[in-house]
């Protein structure tokens, strides 16, 4: 609650008036199902304890004014918003109001907002700080203006903010996780039907933990590489003549091998095998065999490293060190090219595993990583 009070105080000192309320939304880690959410596949994220807090108050005009801790205050009229406008963090906040007024259900032009933002989701670490701030903002606006849309529609709007304002061609996983996760559960999401299933995560007293390591590897060439992998998937889909990679099997892949480039085939193989790993992981969790999901995680990492080629030396190093230290499974999580890894460890050995990763990073001359244990947390809500 104190962060909710802090963001309300930030709002008051910036605007000289109290906010109408405070909302928060979490970042996420993805347990398994990487680079499957833009080809209609399966993902299994969980919300983390780190959250973005947004204090909001409607305005009578069309201006969005915002403050964020550590940044200069900024403002923009809703009439100026568009692709790349505004840039930076304000894109996610102003973009939320802009996307809402483009929805068919909202026929009247929207109004402006005063907003304050405070977040402890690490930025640019693959933990979806951008979805956290967008989803907290959209839920605030939805509650205050009594929008009729449900949470999954808000998730699609948050995705449109990334696509149409921030210019990031992301899938629907991050926004769905931030809005729909519940504490104590991993969220199974079928990104095609948008069917959601809350899959129980074992209680902490069952003795195992999910250790998250932020490698702090600098993101480089990420946008171009992401677009390249998406294109490989699209090309493979059309060459294999399937509605989406979600519908393809390894025998479809074999049959099309002559017509696919090595890169197209490898990307398709990752997506096809990754979807199968998500289903296997869900089945293990649902049958109380959570301890056995480790090999699925480790196989996912190998596939992302060798077939999809989105790991970097820091990600491989963290995974190898965790496994060498006794983790039951480990993988990179998020889009890759930097960001975080997760390792499934015995609760009592989380710290020891973290130390082994630290030592491996020091040996390799990498920047020291940061660690935390992920506790499956509540999705977005009003504070
Ligand atoms: P990720 O979502 O993995 O953290 P992105 O590049 O998608 O990485 O989003 C990071 C961007 O989100 C930042 O560059 C910034 O524009 C915005 N952002 C997220 N959290 C904050 C924050 N606390 N303050 C200001 N901007 C933020
Ligand atoms: Mg993001």
């Amino acid at each position: 609650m104190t962060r909710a009070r802090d963001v309300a105080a930030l709002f008051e000192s910036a605007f000289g008036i109290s906010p109408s309320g405070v909302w928060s939304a979490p970042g996420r880690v993805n347990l398994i199902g990487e680079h499957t959410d833009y080809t209609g596949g399966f993902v299994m994220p969980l919300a983390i304890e780190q959250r973005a807090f947004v204090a909001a108050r409607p305005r009578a005009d069309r201006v969005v004014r915002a403050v964020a801790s550590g940044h200069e205050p900024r403002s923009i009229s809703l009439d100026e918003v568009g692709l790349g406008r505004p840039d930076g963090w304000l894109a996610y906040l102003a973009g939320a109001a802009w996307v809402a007024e483009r929805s068919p259900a909202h026929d009247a032009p929207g109004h402006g907002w005063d907003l304050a933002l405070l977040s402890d989701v690490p930025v640019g670490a693959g933990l979806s700080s951008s979805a956290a701030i967008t989803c907290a903002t959209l839920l605030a606006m939805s509650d205050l203006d009594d929008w009729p849309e449900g949470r999954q529609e808000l998730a699609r709007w948050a995705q449109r903010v990334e696509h149409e304002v921030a210019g990031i061609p992301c899938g629907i996983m991050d926004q769905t996780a931030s809005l729909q996760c519940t504490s104590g559960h991993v969220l199974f999401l079928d990104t095609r039907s948008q069917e959601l299933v809350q899959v129980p995560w074992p209680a902490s007293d069952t003795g195992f933990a999910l250790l998250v390591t932020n490698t702090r590897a600098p993101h480089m060439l990420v946008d171009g590489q992401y677009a390249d992998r998406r294109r490989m998937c699209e090309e493979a889909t059309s060459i294999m003549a399937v509605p989406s990679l979600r519908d393809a099997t390894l025998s479809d892949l074999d049959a099309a091998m002559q017509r696919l480039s090595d890169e197209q085939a490898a990307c398709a193989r990752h997506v096809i095998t990754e979807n199968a790993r998500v289903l296997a992981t869900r089945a293990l969790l649902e049958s109380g065999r959570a301890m056995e999901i480790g090999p699925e995680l480790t196989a996912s990492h190998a596939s992302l490293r060798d077939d999809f080629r989105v790991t970097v030396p820091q990600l491989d190093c963290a995974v190898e060190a965790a496994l060498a230290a006794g983790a039951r499974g480990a993988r990179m999580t998020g889009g890759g090219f930097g960001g975080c890894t997760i390792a499934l460890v015995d609760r009592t050995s989380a710290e020891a595993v973290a130390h082994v990763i630290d030592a491996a990073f020091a040996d390799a001359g990498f920047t020291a990583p940061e660690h935390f244990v992920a506790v499956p947390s509540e999705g977005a809500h009003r504070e």
Side-chain angles (χ1 to χ4, degrees):
M1 269 320 275
T2 96
R3 301 185 61 74
R5 273 201 297 274
D6 290 347
V7 77
L10 176 66
F11 186 101
E12 277 164 25
S13 70
F15 304 122
I17 190 168
S18 301
S20 306
V22 173
W23 286 257
S24 73
R28 61 100 189 94
V29 289
N30 190 19
L31 181 65
I32 195 158
E34 216 63 78
H35 286 282
T36 51
D37 71 333
Y38 46 85
T39 47
F42 310 117
V43 296
M44 278 189 87
L46 53 123
I48 54 177
E49 290 178 296
Q50 293 86 333
R51 307 178 75 84
F53 291 78
V54 169
R57 185 182 180 98
R59 292 172 59 90
D61 61 14
R62 289 181 51 76
V63 174
V64 175
R65 283 198 302 180
V67 286
S69 68
H71 298 274
E72 288 295 312
R74 295 176 67 188
S75 66
I76 188 168
S77 161
L78 284 174
D79 301 312
E80 323 245 287
V81 175
L83 185 60
R85 298 190 314 272
D87 60 2
W89 59 274
L90 189 59
Y92 303 98
L93 276 54
W98 181 85
V99 161
E101 77 177 356
R102 265 150 193 76
S103 144
H106 298 216
D107 47 358
H111 57 80
W113 295 87
D114 284 338
L115 301 164
L117 165 67
L118 195 62
S119 171
D120 62 1
V121 183
V123 174
L127 298 171
S128 271
S129 68
S130 64
I133 66 177
T134 312
C135 291
T137 305
L138 275 169
L139 193 64
M141 293 172 176
S142 175
D143 279 359
L144 288 172
D145 279 1
D146 281 326
W147 293 346
E149 289 80 14
R151 285 189 175 226
Q152 200 51 27
E153 188 65 18
L154 296 185
R156 283 188 282 270
W157 290 4
Q159 182 190 28
R160 285 187 60 188
V161 172
E162 299 258 7
H163 289 192
E164 296 174 36
V165 185
I168 309 294
C170 61
I172 190 70
M173 168 171 67
D174 301 349
Q175 297 77 12
T176 304
S178 191
L179 283 158
Q180 303 276 26
C181 279
T182 56
S183 78
H185 295 88
V186 183
L187 182 71
F188 173 89
L189 167 66
D190 177 335
T191 61
R192 178 151 71 194
S193 67
Q194 303 211 358
E195 178 205 9
L196 306 168
V197 182
Q198 303 288 345
V199 180
W201 182 250
S204 54
D205 59 12
T206 51
F208 83 149
L210 199 62
L211 177 72
V212 181
T213 298
N214 178 1
T215 65
R216 300 168 76 201
H219 277 231
M220 287 195 300
L221 304 169
V222 178
D223 294 354
Q225 297 277 5
Y226 188 86
D228 174 75
R229 299 307 186 280
R230 274 193 87 128
R231 201 182 66 245
M232 289 297 150
C233 290
E234 279 155 21
E235 289 168 0
T237 304
S238 96
I239 293 168
M240 293 166 72
V242 285
S244 89
L245 283 186
R246 146 80 175 277
D247 304 297
T249 61
L250 285 177
S251 35
D252 294 330
L253 182 63
D254 276 345
M257 221 52 173
Q258 301 300 324
R259 287 168 287 132
L260 292 165
S261 71
D262 289 351
E263 278 187 309
Q264 290 163 341
C267 286
R269 184 163 54 233
H270 165 71
V271 174
I272 293 167
T273 57
E274 185 77 353
N275 279 324
R277 285 186 287 270
V278 180
L279 296 177
T281 301
R282 174 182 167 182
L284 286 169
L285 287 175
E286 285 178 338
S287 58
R289 291 156 65 200
M291 293 296 207
E292 295 169 45
I293 70 173
E296 303 295 336
L297 304 187
T298 305
S300 169
H301 185 81
S303 176
L304 288 156
R305 181 191 60 211
D306 302 334
D307 277 342
F308 218 67
R309 295 176 304 107
V310 292
T311 70
V312 291
Q314 289 89 334
L315 291 167
D316 295 332
C317 176
V319 164
E320 281 155 27
L323 293 172
R328 292 165 187 269
R331 60 182 289 270
M332 57 156 271
T333 182
F337 304 108
C340 293
T341 61
I342 52 174
L344 193 63
V345 300
D346 295 325
R347 179 159 291 271
T348 50
S349 70
E351 221 170 294
V353 173
H355 284 314
V356 173
I357 298 172
D358 287 344
F361 269 52
D363 279 351
F366 300 146
T367 305
E370 295 167 336
H371 311 274
F372 63 91
V373 169
V375 177
S377 299
E378 196 63 40
H381 57 69
R382 186 174 192 158
E383 292 290 325

